[in-house]
Protein backbone atom coordinates (compact mmCIF):
# COMPACT_ATOMS: atom_id res chain seq x y z
CA UNK A 1 0.00 0.00 0.00
CA UNK A 2 2.86 2.37 0.85
CA UNK A 3 4.51 1.65 -2.52
CA UNK A 4 1.21 2.36 -4.26
CA UNK A 5 0.87 5.81 -2.64
CA UNK A 6 4.51 6.53 -3.36
CA UNK A 7 3.95 5.73 -7.04
CA UNK A 8 0.97 8.08 -7.16
CA UNK A 9 3.02 10.83 -5.53
CA UNK A 10 5.83 10.39 -8.05
CA UNK A 11 3.33 10.55 -10.92
CA UNK A 12 1.75 13.77 -9.61
CA UNK A 13 5.12 15.43 -8.98
CA UNK A 14 6.39 14.49 -12.46
CA UNK A 15 3.17 15.79 -14.05
CA UNK A 16 3.53 19.10 -12.22
CA UNK A 17 7.18 19.46 -13.14
CA UNK A 18 6.47 18.82 -16.82
CA UNK A 19 3.59 21.32 -16.87
CA UNK A 20 5.03 24.14 -14.81
CA UNK A 21 3.37 26.92 -16.79
CA UNK A 22 -0.10 25.43 -16.32
CA UNK A 23 0.57 24.87 -12.62
CA UNK A 24 1.69 28.47 -12.13
CA UNK A 25 -1.35 29.77 -13.99
CA UNK A 26 -3.67 27.63 -11.85
CA UNK A 27 -2.00 28.75 -8.62
CA UNK A 28 -2.11 32.37 -9.75
CA UNK A 29 -5.82 32.05 -10.62
CA UNK A 30 -6.59 30.55 -7.21
CA UNK A 31 -4.58 33.26 -5.42
CA UNK A 32 -6.22 36.09 -7.36
CA UNK A 33 -9.68 34.59 -6.96
CA UNK A 34 -9.20 34.06 -3.22
CA UNK A 35 -8.00 37.63 -2.77
CA UNK A 36 -10.92 39.09 -4.72
CA UNK A 37 -13.48 36.94 -2.92
CA UNK A 38 -11.99 37.86 0.46
CA UNK A 39 -12.20 41.54 -0.49
CA UNK A 40 -15.77 41.15 -1.70
CA UNK A 41 -16.83 39.48 1.54
CA UNK A 42 -15.36 42.39 3.47
CA UNK A 43 -17.11 44.86 1.18
CA UNK A 44 -20.38 42.91 1.56
CA UNK A 45 -20.34 43.60 5.29
CA UNK A 46 -18.58 46.97 5.53
CA UNK A 47 -20.10 48.98 2.65
CA UNK A 48 -23.76 48.64 3.78
CA UNK A 49 -22.76 49.85 7.25
CA UNK A 50 -20.91 52.82 5.77
CA UNK A 51 -23.84 53.57 3.46
CA UNK A 52 -26.15 53.41 6.48
CA UNK A 53 -24.09 56.12 8.14
CA UNK A 54 -24.22 58.24 4.97
CA UNK A 55 -28.02 57.94 4.92
CA UNK A 56 -28.13 59.74 8.25
CA UNK A 57 -27.55 62.98 6.33
CA UNK A 58 -31.20 62.72 5.24
CA UNK A 59 -32.55 63.14 8.75
CA UNK A 60 -33.94 61.11 11.65
CA UNK A 61 -35.24 57.60 11.05
CA UNK A 62 -36.94 57.19 14.45
CA UNK A 63 -39.37 59.51 16.28
CA UNK A 64 -40.24 59.31 19.98
CA UNK A 65 -43.72 60.68 20.70
CA UNK A 66 -45.88 60.82 23.84
CA UNK A 67 -48.25 57.90 24.26
CA UNK A 68 -52.02 58.12 24.17
CA UNK A 69 -53.66 60.78 26.39
CA UNK A 70 -50.32 62.60 26.76
CA UNK A 71 -48.88 65.62 24.98
CA UNK A 72 -45.37 65.74 26.44
CA UNK A 73 -42.51 63.43 27.40
CA UNK A 74 -41.13 63.82 30.91
CA UNK A 75 -37.44 64.08 31.74
CA UNK A 76 -37.47 60.67 33.46
CA UNK A 77 -38.81 59.02 30.28
CA UNK A 78 -36.17 60.74 28.15
CA UNK A 79 -33.35 59.62 30.43
CA UNK A 80 -34.61 56.02 30.41
CA UNK A 81 -34.61 55.89 26.61
CA UNK A 82 -31.23 57.64 26.38
CA UNK A 83 -29.71 55.03 28.67
CA UNK A 84 -31.01 52.21 26.45
CA UNK A 85 -29.96 53.89 23.19
CA UNK A 86 -26.38 54.25 24.44
CA UNK A 87 -25.98 50.59 23.45
CA UNK A 88 -26.83 51.48 19.81
CA UNK A 89 -24.86 53.43 17.20
CA UNK A 90 -26.63 56.77 17.69
CA UNK A 91 -25.78 59.75 15.49
CA UNK A 92 -27.87 62.14 17.58
CA UNK A 93 -31.11 62.78 19.48
CA UNK A 94 -32.78 66.15 18.90
CA UNK A 95 -35.58 67.06 21.36
CA UNK A 96 -38.34 69.49 20.36
CA UNK A 97 -40.89 71.43 22.40
CA UNK A 98 -43.49 73.30 20.35
CA UNK A 99 -45.66 76.27 21.32
CA UNK A 100 -47.55 78.98 19.51
CA UNK A 101 -46.10 82.41 20.24
CA UNK A 102 -46.18 85.88 18.73
CA UNK A 103 -43.23 87.31 16.84
CA UNK A 104 -43.69 91.03 16.23
CA UNK A 105 -47.36 90.55 17.14
CA UNK A 106 -47.84 87.84 14.50
CA UNK A 107 -48.65 84.23 15.51
CA UNK A 108 -45.85 81.75 14.82
CA UNK A 109 -45.25 78.16 15.90
CA UNK A 110 -41.89 78.01 17.64
CA UNK A 111 -39.81 74.94 18.40
CA UNK A 112 -37.37 74.75 21.26
CA UNK A 113 -34.50 72.36 20.55
CA UNK A 114 -30.83 71.54 21.02
CA UNK A 115 -29.10 73.13 18.02
CA UNK A 116 -25.94 71.06 18.47
CA UNK A 117 -28.03 67.90 18.12
CA UNK A 118 -30.06 69.29 15.23
CA UNK A 119 -26.85 69.75 13.25
CA UNK A 120 -26.09 66.04 13.78
CA UNK A 121 -29.59 64.67 13.20
CA UNK A 122 -30.58 67.01 10.36
CA UNK A 123 -27.38 68.16 8.61
CA UNK A 124 -29.46 69.15 5.58
CA UNK A 125 -30.61 72.33 7.38
CA UNK A 126 -29.14 75.31 5.54
CA UNK A 127 -28.73 78.51 7.53
CA UNK A 128 -28.46 82.00 6.05
CA UNK A 129 -26.64 83.84 8.80
CA UNK A 130 -25.53 81.94 11.90
CA UNK A 131 -26.77 79.34 14.32
CA UNK A 132 -27.89 80.85 17.64
CA UNK A 133 -25.06 81.17 20.15
CA UNK A 134 -25.56 79.33 23.48
CA UNK A 135 -26.65 81.65 26.27
CA UNK A 136 -27.67 84.50 23.95
CA UNK A 137 -31.20 85.62 23.16
CA UNK A 138 -31.09 84.52 19.53
CA UNK A 139 -33.56 82.59 17.41
CA UNK A 140 -33.88 81.12 13.91
CA UNK A 141 -36.75 81.88 11.56
CA UNK A 142 -37.96 79.59 8.81
CA UNK A 143 -37.60 81.02 5.31
CA UNK A 144 -41.37 81.35 4.77
CA UNK A 145 -41.85 83.17 8.08
CA UNK A 146 -38.91 85.49 7.41
CA UNK A 147 -40.17 86.38 3.93
CA UNK A 148 -43.68 87.02 5.23
CA UNK A 149 -42.40 89.35 7.95
CA UNK A 150 -39.61 90.85 5.80
CA UNK A 151 -37.03 89.95 8.43
CA UNK A 152 -33.34 89.40 7.72
CA UNK A 153 -30.53 87.94 9.87
CA UNK A 154 -29.36 90.32 12.57
CA UNK A 155 -32.71 92.07 13.05
CA UNK A 156 -34.29 92.23 16.53
CA UNK A 157 -37.84 90.92 17.06
CA UNK A 158 -40.33 91.00 19.92
CA UNK A 159 -41.24 87.56 21.20
CA UNK A 160 -44.39 87.11 23.26
CA UNK A 161 -44.97 83.78 25.01
CA UNK A 162 -45.66 82.18 28.36
CA UNK A 163 -48.70 82.28 30.61
CA UNK A 164 -48.46 86.06 31.19
CA UNK A 165 -47.79 86.92 27.53
CA UNK A 166 -44.81 89.08 28.49
CA UNK A 167 -42.71 90.42 25.61
CA UNK A 168 -38.96 90.08 25.31
CA UNK A 169 -36.53 91.13 22.60
CA UNK A 170 -34.60 88.52 20.64
CA UNK A 171 -32.27 88.68 17.66
CA UNK A 172 -32.79 86.62 14.52
CA UNK A 173 -29.35 85.06 14.05
CA UNK A 174 -30.25 83.13 10.90
CA UNK A 175 -32.87 81.94 8.42
CA UNK A 176 -33.63 78.21 8.03
CA UNK A 177 -33.82 76.65 4.55
CA UNK A 178 -34.87 73.00 4.31
CA UNK A 179 -37.48 72.82 1.56
CA UNK A 180 -39.84 71.35 4.17
CA UNK A 181 -42.19 72.35 6.98
CA UNK A 182 -39.31 73.69 9.06
CA UNK A 183 -39.47 76.87 6.96
CA UNK A 184 -42.87 77.63 8.55
CA UNK A 185 -41.48 77.61 12.10
CA UNK A 186 -39.25 79.63 14.38
CA UNK A 187 -36.63 77.89 16.53
CA UNK A 188 -34.84 78.71 19.76
CA UNK A 189 -32.82 76.86 22.39
CA UNK A 190 -34.87 74.34 24.37
CA UNK A 191 -34.03 75.47 27.92
CA UNK A 192 -35.12 79.14 27.50
CA UNK A 193 -38.41 78.05 25.91
CA UNK A 194 -39.06 75.54 28.70
CA UNK A 195 -38.44 78.35 31.18
CA UNK A 196 -40.76 80.76 29.37
CA UNK A 197 -43.51 78.13 29.21
CA UNK A 198 -42.83 76.92 32.75
CA UNK A 199 -42.43 73.35 31.45
CA UNK A 200 -39.00 72.29 32.77
CA UNK A 201 -37.71 69.00 31.42
CA UNK A 202 -40.62 68.43 29.04
CA UNK A 203 -40.60 67.95 25.26
CA UNK A 204 -43.21 67.04 22.64
CA UNK A 205 -40.99 65.05 20.32
CA UNK A 206 -37.51 63.54 20.01
CA UNK A 207 -35.95 62.93 16.61
CA UNK A 208 -33.47 60.05 16.72
CA UNK A 209 -30.90 59.24 14.05
CA UNK A 210 -29.56 55.70 14.52
CA UNK A 211 -27.39 53.58 12.24
CA UNK A 212 -29.51 50.44 11.79
CA UNK A 213 -31.30 48.51 9.07
CA UNK A 214 -35.05 47.93 8.96
CA UNK A 215 -35.04 44.82 11.16
CA UNK A 216 -32.81 46.46 13.76
CA UNK A 217 -34.99 49.59 13.83
CA UNK A 218 -38.09 47.49 14.46
CA UNK A 219 -36.26 45.70 17.27
CA UNK A 220 -35.32 49.06 18.84
CA UNK A 221 -38.92 50.21 18.47
CA UNK A 222 -40.24 47.15 20.33
CA UNK A 223 -37.64 47.49 23.09
CA UNK A 224 -38.56 51.16 23.71
CA UNK A 225 -42.24 50.21 24.02
CA UNK A 226 -41.26 47.50 26.51
CA UNK A 227 -39.17 49.96 28.54
CA UNK A 228 -41.87 52.63 28.74
CA UNK A 229 -45.44 52.21 27.54
CA UNK A 230 -45.90 55.98 27.79
CA UNK A 231 -43.62 56.49 24.77
CA UNK A 232 -44.82 55.83 21.24
CA UNK A 233 -41.81 55.24 18.93
CA UNK A 234 -42.50 55.64 15.22
CA UNK A 235 -40.25 54.79 12.29
CA UNK A 236 -39.81 57.41 9.58
CA UNK A 237 -40.98 54.96 6.92
CA UNK A 238 -39.92 56.96 3.88
CA UNK A 239 -36.29 57.15 5.00
CA UNK A 240 -36.16 53.67 6.53
CA UNK A 241 -37.63 51.95 3.46
CA UNK A 242 -35.48 53.88 0.99
CA UNK A 243 -32.39 52.98 2.97
CA UNK A 244 -33.41 49.33 3.18
CA UNK A 245 -34.07 49.10 -0.59
CA UNK A 246 -30.75 50.72 -1.56
CA UNK A 247 -28.69 48.64 0.88
CA UNK A 248 -30.52 45.47 -0.18
CA UNK A 249 -29.73 46.05 -3.86
CA UNK A 250 -26.12 46.87 -3.01
CA UNK A 251 -25.70 43.62 -1.09
CA UNK A 252 -27.25 41.62 -3.95
CA UNK A 253 -24.87 43.25 -6.43
CA UNK A 254 -21.83 42.46 -4.30
CA UNK A 255 -23.04 38.87 -3.83
CA UNK A 256 -23.45 38.37 -7.60
CA UNK A 257 -19.99 39.79 -8.34
CA UNK A 258 -18.49 37.49 -5.71
CA UNK A 259 -20.30 34.51 -7.21
CA UNK A 260 -19.04 35.32 -10.73
CA UNK A 261 -15.46 35.66 -9.49
CA UNK A 262 -15.77 32.33 -7.68
CA UNK A 263 -17.04 30.57 -10.84
CA UNK A 264 -14.26 32.06 -12.96
CA UNK A 265 -11.68 30.94 -10.42
CA UNK A 266 -13.06 27.39 -10.44
CA UNK A 267 -12.97 27.28 -14.23
Amino acid sequence: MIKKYKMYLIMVVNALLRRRSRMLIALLAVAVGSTIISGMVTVYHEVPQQMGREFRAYGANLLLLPGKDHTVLAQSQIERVQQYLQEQEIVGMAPFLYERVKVNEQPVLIGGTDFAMVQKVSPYWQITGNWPSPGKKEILLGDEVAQHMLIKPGQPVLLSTGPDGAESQWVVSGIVHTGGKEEQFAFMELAPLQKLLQNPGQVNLIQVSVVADGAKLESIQREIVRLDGGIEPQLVQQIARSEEVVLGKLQILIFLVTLVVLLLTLI
Side-chain angles (χ1 to χ4, degrees), residues 101-102 105 159-168 196-198:
V101 300
K102 288 185 177 180
E105 299 299 326
L159 183 66
S160 176
T161 185
D164 56 359
E167 288 187 343
S168 57
L196 289 172
L197 299 178
Q198 299 179 10

Side-chain angles (χ1 to χ4, degrees), residues 72-239:
V72 295
L73 295 172
Q75 184 66 33
S76 58
Q77 293 176 295
I78 298 171
E79 292 174 352
R80 193 177 300 118
V81 174
Q82 284 178 329
Q83 185 175 3
Y84 162 68
L85 290 177
Q86 286 178 354
E87 303 172 3
Q88 312 301 325
E89 188 174 352
I90 299 296
V91 176
M93 295 178 60
F96 287 88
L97 176 64
Y98 293 102
E99 184 60 56
R100 189 162 293 278
V101 300
K102 288 185 177 180
V103 177
N104 287 352
E105 299 299 326
Q106 297 190 43
V108 175
L109 193 62
I110 194 168
T113 187
D114 182 338
F115 289 119
M117 281 296 176
V118 168
Q119 293 178 65
K120 294 180 179 180
V121 174
S122 303
Y124 60 88
W125 281 30
Q126 300 296 318
I127 306 297
T128 300
N130 300 298
W131 290 89
S133 301
K136 293 187 178 181
K137 300 180 71 173
E138 296 179 341
I139 64 173
L140 295 176
L141 287 184
D143 185 55
E144 291 187 23
V145 177
Q147 289 188 31
H148 177 70
M149 296 185 181
L150 301 177
I151 296 176
K152 296 182 179 180
Q155 289 186 223
V157 294
L158 288 177
L159 183 66
S160 176
T161 185
D164 56 359
E167 288 187 343
S168 57
Q169 182 170 294
W170 295 70
V171 175
V172 177
S173 64
I175 308 298
V176 179
H177 306 274
T178 65
K181 292 184 178 180
E182 292 86 358
E183 295 186 359
Q184 303 171 7
F185 291 73
F187 296 94
M188 65 186 298
E189 283 287 349
L190 178 61
L193 183 60
Q194 289 175 332
K195 184 177 180 181
L196 289 172
L197 299 178
Q198 299 179 10
N199 290 332
Q202 296 182 344
V203 299
N204 299 121
L205 162 73
I206 300 177
Q207 295 182 356
V208 183
S209 181
V210 53
V211 179
D213 57 20
K216 182 63 175 179
L217 276 175
E218 291 177 358
S219 174
I220 293 173
Q221 184 182 26
R222 290 192 296 269
E223 184 62 22
I224 292 175
V225 171
R226 190 190 67 81
L227 285 173
D228 193 326
I231 299 177
E232 184 178 340
Q234 292 184 4
L235 303 183
V236 182
Q237 296 293 347
Q238 184 176 4
I239 294 178

